[in-house]
Amino acid sequence: MIRKAHVNGITLVYREEGAPSAPPLLLVHGRTADHNDWNGITQHFARRHHVIVPDLRGHGGSDHPGTYALPDMAADLVALLDHVGAARATVIGHSLGGVVSCLLASGSPGRVDRLVLEDVPTLPLRDRDPIVEDGSTGFDWRMMHETERQFLDPDPRWRQALTAITAPTLVLSGGAASPFHADETAALIPGAKLVTIEAGHLIHVGARAGFLRAVDSFLAG
């Protein structure tokens, strides 16, 4: 079911699946994607969870407000959990969604039961090619530029905040073909478990079965 929530001053589009009485699970997509990025994954988790799958601000059907501070994106998710009546949730974030999920888990620790970070970049990033706009649609190009600036020159407190995450955390690395070093993130989060799946950046797409096995095992533990 596709729904809309008016939260944090903007409208977020989100998909909702599974029984509302089941434990909440929030799926947070990567940059330039939307809720459809989790097709198939959503249905798998909906067997046992109340699954909430938003389009982040600047993506998909959600508002393009023109401001894309990463803490605002995290605040959007807190407000969305409030909107659906979820006091706490398991949170799974990919790439940009993983960075936002880290800010959610560190800034609102009481809202996150368990945290899964799929091939998340450790900030700051370096040696990045400049963004060149093309004809791509489905997201706000201003979001690309503003998030890239924050990737390259992040608030130094964000890295320190990783050390304060209290939720049990699984960090998934895409291995040698990934552009990121998820092991660096895992090393900063107390007690985080690191699992490498040699699939590159899009683990949940290129190695769906392995992704689901790793996450199911972590959630069952």
Side-chain angles (χ1 to χ4, degrees):
M1 181 74 68
I2 304 298
R3 302 186 186 278
K4 291 183 178 180
H6 302 288
V7 296
N8 205 24
I10 63 170
T11 297
L12 290 184
V13 165
Y14 67 101
R15 191 158 94 216
E16 191 172 25
E17 295 191 32
S21 59
L25 186 148
L26 184 67
L27 286 168
V28 192
H29 64 75
R31 194 162 68 167
T32 75
D34 60 25
H35 69 269
N36 290 301
D37 190 56
W38 296 108
N39 288 346
I41 304 295
T42 305
Q43 292 82 354
H44 173 87
F45 289 122
R47 298 170 192 163
R48 297 180 300 278
H49 294 87
H50 175 203
V51 182
I52 303 111
V53 198
D55 292 352
L56 292 171
R57 63 167 63 197
H59 295 77
S62 291
D63 279 354
H64 295 188
T67 57
Y68 299 103
L70 298 182
D72 288 346
M73 291 186 172
D76 293 345
L77 298 182
V78 173
L80 180 60
L81 292 177
D82 290 340
H83 175 81
V84 300
R88 300 171 63 87
T90 290
V91 180
I92 301 175
H94 173 238
S95 195
L96 166 66
V99 175
V100 175
S101 297
C102 286
L103 293 174
L104 168 60
S106 59
S108 301
R111 308 305 298 268
V112 180
D113 277 328
R114 287 177 177 262
L115 179 64
V116 178
L117 304 173
E118 179 194 352
D119 214 54
V120 59
T122 306
L123 306 182
L125 295 179
R126 297 181 176 85
D127 302 320
R128 302 269 286 178
D129 292 331
I131 290 175
V132 178
E133 295 189 20
D134 57 26
S136 298
T137 59
F139 59 90
D140 185 354
W141 278 99
R142 183 168 177 176
M143 175 278 303
M144 287 289 290
H145 294 290
E146 286 204 12
T147 54
E148 187 71 12
R149 176 183 56 76
Q150 294 170 86
F151 285 173
L152 295 170
D153 186 22
D155 185 326
R157 293 175 294 181
W158 297 348
R159 187 180 181 96
Q160 183 63 31
L162 294 175
T163 67
I165 290 176
T166 56
T169 302
L170 170 66
V171 178
L172 297 175
S173 168
S178 168
F180 302 129
H181 301 285
D183 56 315
E184 295 180 7
T185 299
L188 290 167
I189 299 174
K193 178 181 180 182
L194 175 67
V195 173
T196 299
I197 300 173
E198 293 291 344
H201 186 50
L202 293 170
I203 303 170
H204 68 280
V205 175
R208 179 181 293 183
F211 172 86
L212 292 175
R213 276 195 305 271
V215 176
D216 283 346
S217 175
F218 172 69
L219 297 184

